[in-house]
Amino acid sequence: MSPDGNTGLMDDEKLRGSVGANWAESVVASLSELIRIPAVSPAYDAAWQENGHLRAAAEHVRNWVASRSVPGLACDLVDLPGRSPVLVVDVPATAGAEGAGTVLLYGHLDKQPPLGNWSEGLGPWQPVLREGRLYGRGSVDDGYAGYAAVAALEAVRAAGGQHGRAVLLLETGEESGSPDLPAYLEHLAGRLDEVSLVISLDAGGGDYERMWLTSSLRGFVQVTLTVRVLEVALHSGLASGIVPSSFRIMRRLLDRLEDAETGEILLPGMRAPIPEVRRAEAEALAALDPGALRRRYPLVEGMRHASEDEVELILNSAWRPTLSVTGAAGLPDPSVAGAVLRESTSLRLSFRLPPTVDAESALAELEQVLTRDVPYGAQVTVSDPMTGNGWHAPIPAPWLSSALDEAGNRAFGKTPRSMGLGGGIPFMEMLGKRYPQAQFVVTGAVGSDSNMHVSDEWLNIAFAERLTEAVAHLLDAHTRHRSPAEEQLPVRGAGGLG
């Protein structure tokens, strides 16, 4: 076995043939049916248990997995009381690779809300295959992940490679901040011990030309802020000037949180220093394709980006806190808005946090700042909090660095690149704490224009196939390194997959 993780023992032609056949003959059809299931994440569907869509999604994928001809494969739908279910697929190691340790592969089956304004002929629960793209909610974020993981395991065997014991975990609460996952990790602890490699497929990168590795993920805090000034609404001509409007008080509270001129977040607990290695990574990413970031976002005519410096834009997205107002209540549609001074205004505030900030501490500071010395003594409530910590990539062991380069070159013809992502995967921070000696690979099929979370979400099938190949190479490489010293390298800090 090769100490540097070389995957040369596998037959690339057979591997690619297995992956291609699997996607063409089975994966796309089953994934299309998964898209039809409106498995909205629990935070956005209060009746998720009664509706049963999350369980239906898990059962659909379980049935597909159970149909695969992988020796020894076991597939369980684990359903703790009151918690959204998880699907656990356990695949034993190939002969000779039993001592390689367990690989944990991760994805999720819950989806963001459907939203409107999908293009003609498209819809959130309507799978459409068009010019190599599979459209529909959950296609790329990230219903494909379980299929890709199992197809990669099958491809390893078809190509004459090896893989250690593999456990695929597909949760159904990721888009809600994975609130039930700690309980499941505790419940499954006996089955997940000795995890030596984690591969998450819930991320992506800057293009479809190479494998992208995620070096950091931002955390988040979301709350609903409500300002109430009246018991009932009143005629604005009679009440304005006497009763301060809830919207004006809301503006003053928001000014405590954010500099409206620059977008800078003013709460000290939401800020963190940016490691120099990440600044260098941002510079390299900006230099890879100058102007790409500006081309990526469909700004309206005359609109400018937050900065003219692309490096600063990258750091804004990956390492600086930001505030987005993602919802509102108490505001009627302008077409029916009468002369009324409304009794209240509510806004959904969504903060993205630097990877190293503690989300619960940030929430506590936010609540304190919003509820002290409220203008005019208005009633202010901070409700429905959601939090998730960010994640900073561990330092990869030498074998993994070599294996990543090998996998990228063999699957894509190019070495991988790394970047920080502005989104979050709470699962990664949880696993980083539970398995501090494990190696981590966070990658995925999301592209810069995949439209996850919004209308016209789509999966690039050809890219997903190449990614499946790359994962197969990593699974094989994991069985071929045997250096205990490398296993003991520190796994947290300023370094990463750069």
Side-chain angles (χ1 to χ4, degrees):
M1 58 186 62
S2 173
D4 65 359
N6 190 292
T7 57
L9 295 183
M10 286 204 297
D11 185 315
D12 284 1
E13 184 174 346
K14 290 182 179 179
L15 187 146
R16 179 158 291 188
S18 172
V19 170
N22 222 334
W23 274 85
E25 298 169 9
S26 180
V27 171
V28 172
S30 185
L31 177 56
S32 295
E33 292 306 307
L34 180 62
I35 289 171
R36 296 186 188 277
I37 302 173
V40 175
S41 198
Y44 309 101
D45 181 7
W48 65 268
Q49 288 181 286
E50 294 86 346
N51 291 333
H53 300 313
L54 293 174
R55 184 175 182 87
E59 289 177 342
H60 174 78
V61 177
R62 178 180 63 178
N63 291 338
W64 180 85
V65 171
S67 72
R68 312 311 299 164
S69 56
V70 178
L73 180 148
C75 188
D76 299 320
L77 200 164
V78 185
D79 200 350
L80 295 179
R83 302 185 185 277
S84 61
V86 300
L87 186 64
V88 182
V89 181
D90 198 328
V91 180
T94 55
E98 293 85 356
T102 296
V103 180
L104 181 59
L105 300 116
Y106 169 81
H108 66 88
L109 299 171
D110 58 314
K111 308 176 185 182
Q112 281 281 316
L115 298 182
N117 300 318
W118 287 63
S119 297
E120 184 177 356
L122 303 178
W125 318 127
Q126 176 186 347
V128 174
L129 185 58
R130 184 183 296 171
E131 297 179 350
R133 301 179 175 188
L134 180 59
Y135 289 88
R137 177 64 81 233
S139 58
V140 72
D141 186 22
D142 82 347
Y144 84 94
Y147 296 97
V150 174
L153 289 164
E154 292 184 286
V156 169
R157 293 167 178 259
Q162 292 184 314
H163 64 74
R165 175 177 176 247
V167 176
L168 169 64
L169 191 152
L170 301 175
E171 66 160 317
T172 58
E174 192 275 343
E175 301 292 4
S176 300
S178 301
D180 296 333
L181 201 52
Y184 279 109
L185 289 177
E186 191 64 33
H187 179 74
L188 297 169
R191 296 174 62 175
L192 296 177
D193 60 350
E194 298 185 19
V195 171
S196 55
L197 175 63
V198 177
I199 301 176
S200 170
L201 295 171
D202 188 28
D207 58 37
Y208 300 108
E209 297 180 7
R210 72 201 80 224
M211 182 183 187
W212 285 90
L213 308 170
T214 299
S215 60
S216 64
L217 295 158
R218 284 195 292 185
F220 61 88
V221 169
Q222 296 181 24
V223 299
T224 298
L225 174 62
T226 299
V227 177
R228 181 174 293 275
V229 297
L230 289 165
E231 294 294 337
V232 294
L234 297 173
H235 189 300
S236 61
L238 300 177
S240 60
I242 298 174
V243 179
S245 79
S246 59
F247 193 83
R248 179 161 72 89
I249 295 172
M250 179 71 76
R251 287 163 56 195
R252 290 184 60 181
L253 292 176
L254 293 179
D255 283 342
R256 297 179 178 183
L257 310 177
E258 177 191 49
D259 184 326
E261 183 69 25
T262 65
E264 178 185 2
I265 298 302
L266 303 177
L267 304 186
M270 290 190 177
R271 299 197 296 264
I274 302 173
E276 285 304 314
V277 68
R278 298 306 169 213
R279 289 185 178 275
E281 181 182 81
E283 292 170 358
L285 183 60
L288 180 64
D289 185 6
L293 207 59
R294 290 188 177 85
R295 297 192 299 270
R296 189 173 300 167
Y297 300 95
L299 302 183
V300 298
E301 185 176 355
M303 176 71 183
R304 298 189 302 276
H305 294 86
S307 172
E308 295 302 312
D309 187 329
E310 284 197 274
V311 174
E312 292 304 305
L313 291 177
I314 292 169
L315 294 174
N316 283 349
S317 174
W319 275 91
R320 294 191 178 109
T322 57
L323 169 61
S324 300
V325 176
T326 59
L331 296 165
D333 187 275
S335 63
V336 295
V340 173
L341 197 150
R342 297 170 297 101
E343 64 269 31
S344 67
T345 299
S346 295
L347 297 180
R348 185 66 175 171
L349 308 183
S350 177
F351 291 88
R352 291 293 174 170
L353 306 176
T356 53
V357 163
D358 181 76
E360 288 297 327
S361 297
L363 173 62
E365 181 183 20
L366 175 65
E367 291 174 331
Q368 193 271 333
V369 168
L370 289 173
T371 55
R372 73 162 190 259
D373 301 326
V374 176
Y376 303 104
Q379 291 183 3
V380 169
T381 58
V382 179
S383 60
D384 302 323
M386 283 177 54
T387 61
N389 285 331
W391 177 76
H392 193 194
I395 302 169
W399 77 264
L400 181 57
S401 293
S402 177
L404 287 165
D405 286 348
E406 182 77 9
N409 281 317
R410 296 182 76 161
F412 291 93
K414 294 183 179 180
T415 55
R417 299 293 294 262
S418 64
M419 63 184 292
L421 293 184
I425 309 175
F427 181 67
M428 300 313 302
E429 189 264 349
M430 295 177 195
L431 279 192
K433 289 182 176 179
R434 183 171 288 270
Y435 304 111
Q437 299 303 320
Q439 295 290 302
F440 285 78
V441 175
V442 180
T443 186
V446 171
S448 61
D449 55 353
S450 293
N451 289 348
M452 65 284 190
H453 291 209
V454 296
S455 57
D456 296 359
E457 177 182 342
W458 62 278
L459 171 71
N460 183 316
I461 293 176
F463 183 74
E465 289 183 16
R466 299 291 82 75
L467 182 65
T468 304
E469 293 177 31
V471 170
H473 285 297
L474 291 177
L475 292 169
D476 181 63
H478 171 250
T479 69
R480 303 188 185 286
H481 79 92
R482 311 308 294 164
S483 171
E486 290 184 359
E487 297 279 5
Q488 300 303 316
L489 287 177
V491 296
R492 297 196 71 82
L497 297 170

